[in-house]
Amino acid sequence: MKAEDRQGTRTERLFAMILLLQTRPSMTSRDLAEHFDVSRRTIFRDLRALADSGVPLTYSEGGGYEILEGYQLPPLMLTAREAATLLIGTEFMRLQSDASLQHDADAVARKIEAVLPREIREFVDQLRSRTVLDPYWAHATEGEADADTDVDSGRWYKLSEAVARQRKVIMEYWVERRQELTQRRVDPYGLVYYTDHWNLIAFDHLRGEVRNFRLDQMRELFVLTERFEIMEGFDLAAFLKESGVRDEAHEVRLRFEKPALARARRTLPAHPEEEVEGDDWVDIRFRFDNLDYLSDWLMRFGASVQVLAPDELAKRHKELGASIVAKY
């Protein structure tokens, strides 16, 4: 096992230390330091933390640490509703394009199912067999989870670690609108799943401001050991509300017939920044980065919607409609 895998985060190490001392008592601080590949000083801090949290540690007469017999970690207790929530969540993660997320979702689901009482497991199995998140997506990606060579594999996990541990990141980032590959050094503040793709919200040292970066536009990616501090006063929720999560986004203006707008609101892929109401129509304005997705989404509403801006989206919407008419 690699040193970094043994060490993991401190919480993981403390949990692993409890299990280790229960199965292999009388380990010395030197033994523990070698096993977890950390210093003895770190081990002493960990042991003190375990004792402070109520773990009954003792030092055996033969030398070495052990946990008093009878101590057990609290079992994982889930209600049927909680188990269903977790397992349906893993089904959603299996739809992600990142192969590492698919593998992790499968592993988590197996672990949860292994500890569920039979009655709850049967309930959850029935629910999962009758719940479909996205039939096309699930079919189209069938078998792709084994593609370890997927270039996106591990990208989400690397960035989630960087966010949680406040580590700087350097990357090559493709700017679609300019058809340009750029070098970026960023401080990752958070991850956001937006409509059809993941986004990284980060302070961009090149631009000197907080920007949004699509994970599917990233090329090479490296997480540094150098730490950063989040910009004073920054609030992720406020940033998303005020600025949206789209770097290089388009300003979109649509005119909906009122009955159609009620349906559109349920799946609108952005928060409207402005609405203007007429007699039988409503104009809405918002920002969005993926015009291909938006043009497909607009087809759900037929002639009940008109694109006012940008011209590029209006052109795509018109061409898509013409291609449909041409088939008849």
Side-chain angles (χ1 to χ4, degrees), residues 111-123:
K111 289 179 180 178
I112 294 173
E113 290 168 344
V115 300
L116 292 178
R118 180 180 58 82
E119 182 179 350
I120 294 181
R121 186 169 62 250
E122 290 176 352
F123 165 81

Side-chain angles (χ1 to χ4, degrees), residues 102-112:
Q102 298 174 21
H103 284 297
D104 290 343
D106 285 336
V108 169
R110 286 194 297 269
K111 289 179 180 178
I112 294 173

Side-chain angles (χ1 to χ4, degrees), residues 175-223:
V175 182
E176 185 67 28
R177 294 183 67 185
R178 299 200 303 269
Q179 294 291 294
E180 178 185 2
L181 188 63
T182 62
Q183 307 291 324
R184 303 295 180 99
R185 182 184 182 91
V186 301
D187 300 343
Y189 286 178
L191 287 161
V192 179
Y193 186 73
Y194 187 75
T195 307
D196 62 340
H197 55 269
W198 281 97
N199 304 265
L200 175 70
I201 307 301
F203 180 82
D204 181 9
H205 289 271
L206 179 65
R207 306 300 184 194
E209 62 182 2
V210 178
R211 304 290 288 267
N212 168 71
F213 300 94
R214 290 177 52 142
L215 269 63
D216 58 3
Q217 300 296 329
M218 296 177 183
R219 300 299 185 255
E220 295 293 332
L221 174 69
F222 301 96
V223 178

